[in-house]
DNA sequence: AATGAATGAGAGTTCATTCAT
DNA sequence: TATGAATGAACTCTCATTCAT
């Protein structure tokens, strides 16, 4: 594989300010996401990305110091999208149902662009050294977003905010990825079930009592 | 040069019958799962697997015709574990709460062995040629298992069995994987939240009415 | 891992159009022929070829998809050379003796470049998948060439054209290869004996009578 | 490939005196010749030979110190056969035509056992270090045999004995190998053409005059 | 003696990355 | 600035050979 990491692998070699540069980097990122989804990590070669983007391999390295920085950038873009969805879903000025629908619709929309790429991106793929910073930063941001959403939509108080947010995040992402794998992202039934999933989970009665022994009774509402 | 004899890339070159051989192949599979979780697909080299298993690279290839067949075998083992959990959770002779607890506990247990390996295994990693068969077969089996579980634990009827089962499967796996990533698999709070997730989702009122327009009302219990 | 894309294993990955590329591929082919003659098939490693050609192993694979395609290319070049000699030797506008001398001199010249490589090339060395096509095509072309030559230089008619051409082809190649092995390719005595071989063989009286019983008499002139 | 040569690679580890051992070594040699002809040098692996011979790889190494010694033994057997044919063809007590027929028939017979193996064996395949001795010894013996045959069947004197013998040897072997490749070894026409080839070549008028300038005239009888 | 699992050097091939043009 | 030929470290896989049983 090689994966030599000579440079500080910083985000980008040069910020693309010109319109042309911007178009090139976007094309590269799109190509990377596309190939990632289509052929998986094993099929994601820098040369393949460059070719699919209509650029030369040299140009690719003009914008991204190495392969890891490239996929980090793809990931960052995906995080941005997810973050935007989360912010919308945490907006208390809209009714609860709308917020949940916005969350579900947003997640579906986000994953509709490169259906298969995201799971590879999130679940696998090594993180660039820079990512240790950037990725964790965005990961934390996502966590905060989900926690805000969790608190905004949950009725009672709960000391499970951290865990609950992660469970929600994982569950929703998992269900969407699974649907993406089956090519069922656009099914109305999926939408409805996801809403049910999120709605019922967030509606579950919770108390502040720490580690209340779980028993048969607690399962019944 | 060794004229390439494609081999069905199938399961194994030779079935390990002796105790020793069996121990070796198991060690190899464990090593592969371990490395997969520890270093991801990019870090999974056949030599690293052999070394970690305390075997020589030659021995590895005595049992697995190629790298893909190796990870397919790891995947198959994981599928078997998941399947066992599903069967237990679909057992109608135990009370509902027990079934759900068994499902959650089982999934947590299954993912505790190689916390990080499974997401890489399921979400990424190319499928061997043989996998197209074996994997899909197990995938279908899992689907059936989840559908049985869905029907066994859902109160009303629903025409969303297929989608619902997938949503449940994806959500549970996603949440568990996310927790595994955070190293929170053994947290009691996680267990409780997962039970809540599954329980509330399965308890959600469903009707046979096809594509009932989703509105504010349906979100309220 | 790089999902194996079998490639027609065909001629070349990219046709070398530029002068530089052409020089590189030629150097590689020469190096391959050289090593083949010097160290035999067992000594022909792709890395050795690349090094001998003054190129990197990567460059070699830029032009030849695999080792088999490489030796197929070497073979093809040799076939071309042989074909050219055959065409010259079948030219009826020159006197018979000249034609035969041209054949012998041509074959000696062709084998003088890589004295030992050709026998390895023709007698051994697996044929690439593509070769099945290309090689047989050239083989057929050679056969036609030899048959034309046989008919052009034989006095009487014969129903042994096919066999006779092959015998001539094999005999001449065999004698030249044997001489090459002894390093006697440039000996004038060799030239004379080869001419004698070809001349007397082609001059032998032949009749159309099928399978005339061979007896003592037929050996006497 | 490895081809480590640790032992003096002497002929054989132990002379097979017992009948059983003898049968095993013969089976191994036959298997080697068979595979060599069938799959070429690249397909000749020690494990394949052992399996084809119905022996274990361990047994093979009990009789042959390494792969090279194995093929040297195969070669030696072939040389013995050829030598026997040469001796018969040099026997002056039988009429000339019979001698030539014996040569041709013998060579055809020798190559009928493993049609394709011999060319690989003679033309290619590395010589074991021991072979340097054994092979050259047999090679010299063959050369002497062919020279005897050449002198015995040529009418006039000639200073081309050495070259002529080699040309004859190479031509005959080449023609037979070519026929073997085409699967035409048993054709009566082949036999007749080979006899013509040898007969006319040996019958060609030769003088002692050294390097008589070759011209148009010398081609006409 | 015979067996065949195990070994590991080394061969074929890929692909991240550089740099001359 | 853009290109893509060239590079070579690292990877997958084979097979000659050994040795415990």
């Amino acid at each position: 594989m090689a994966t030599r990491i000579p440079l500080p692998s910083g985000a980008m070699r040069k910020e693309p300010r010109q319109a042309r540069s911007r178009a090139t980097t976007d094309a590269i990122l799109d190509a990377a996401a596309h190939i990632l989804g289509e052929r998986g990590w094993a099929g994601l070669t820098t040369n393949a990305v460059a070719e699919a983007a209509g650029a030369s391999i040299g140009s690719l390295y003009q914008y991204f110091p190495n392969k890891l920085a490239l996929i980090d950038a793809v990931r960052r873009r995906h995080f941005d999208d997810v973050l935007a969805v989360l912010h919308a879903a945490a907006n208390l000025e809209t009714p609860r149902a709308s917020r949940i629908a916005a969350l579900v619709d947003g997640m579906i929309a986000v994953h509709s662009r490169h259906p298969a790429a995201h799971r590879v991106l999130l679940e696998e793929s090594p993180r660039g050294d820079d990512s240790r910073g950037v990725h964790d930063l965005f990961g934390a941001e996502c966590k905060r977003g989900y926690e805000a959403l969790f608190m905004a939509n949950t009725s009672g108080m709960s000391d499970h905010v951290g865990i609950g947010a992660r469970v929600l995040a994982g569950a929703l992402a998992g269900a969407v990825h699974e649907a993406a794998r089956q090519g069922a992202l656009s099914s109305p039934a999926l939408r409805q079930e996801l809403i049910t999933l999120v709605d019922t989970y967030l509606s579950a009665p919770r108390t502040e009592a720490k580690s209340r022994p779980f028993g048969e009774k607690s399962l019944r509402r």
Side-chain angles (χ1 to χ4, degrees), chain A:
Chain A
M1 244 279 312
T3 317
R4 267 164 284 150
I5 311 174
L7 293 207
S9 172
M12 278 191 168
R13 233 194 261 264
K14 70 169 116 170
E15 284 305 313
R17 299 230 173 278
Q18 328 291 345
R20 183 127 89 91
S21 300
R22 182 58 201 244
T24 302
T25 53
D26 272 353
I28 290 173
L29 291 181
D30 277 338
H34 182 79
I35 291 178
L36 205 49
E38 211 72 8
R39 302 185 231 163
W41 170 259
L44 186 80
T45 72
T46 51
N47 282 282
V49 170
E51 189 182 10
S56 71
I57 182 64
S59 294
L60 187 154
Y61 275 87
Q62 201 119 40
Y63 295 113
F64 303 94
N66 54 51
K67 191 181 179 182
L68 260 29
L70 171 63
I71 51 178
D72 277 345
V74 178
R75 209 181 341 247
R76 180 142 77 232
R77 219 173 47 164
H78 181 58
F79 276 138
D80 280 335
D81 292 346
V82 171
L83 240 40
V85 171
L86 290 181
H87 285 315
N91 176 12
L92 286 172
E93 294 174 10
T94 57
R96 186 172 184 280
S98 301
R99 296 198 307 261
I100 291 180
L103 175 65
V104 167
D105 289 336
M107 289 300 278
I108 290 177
V110 161
H111 287 82
S112 291
R113 258 206 297 180
H114 298 293
H118 305 300
R119 62 163 194 270
V120 177
L121 208 48
L122 290 177
E123 307 297 3
E124 221 274 331
S125 314
R127 278 116 179 84
D129 28 358
D130 126 277
S131 192
R132 182 86 318 131
V134 176
H135 180 261
D136 287 4
L137 209 149
F138 274 76
E141 185 75 8
C142 278
K143 184 163 167 281
R144 256 199 308 285
Y146 265 106
E147 286 174 353
L149 184 145
F150 187 81
M151 288 187 293
N153 293 286
T154 297
S155 46
M157 284 286 96
S158 173
D159 50 323
H160 285 181
V161 179
I163 292 276
R166 278 209 276 268
V167 165
L168 182 60
L172 188 50
V176 169
H177 289 163
E178 175 66 24
R181 173 155 46 226
Q182 312 286 343
L185 270 187
S186 56
S187 148
L190 171 73
R191 178 178 185 266
Q192 189 173 333
E193 288 298 328
L194 288 179
I195 286 174
T196 300
L197 177 75
V198 174
D199 182 31
T200 59
Y201 179 62
L202 289 175
S203 304
R206 283 185 183 80
T207 64
E208 255 176 292
K210 203 156 206 153
S211 60
R212 186 167 59 92
F214 167 77
E216 174 80 352
K217 241 171 149 191
S218 75
L219 279 173
R220 298 260 164 76
R221 250 158 309 132

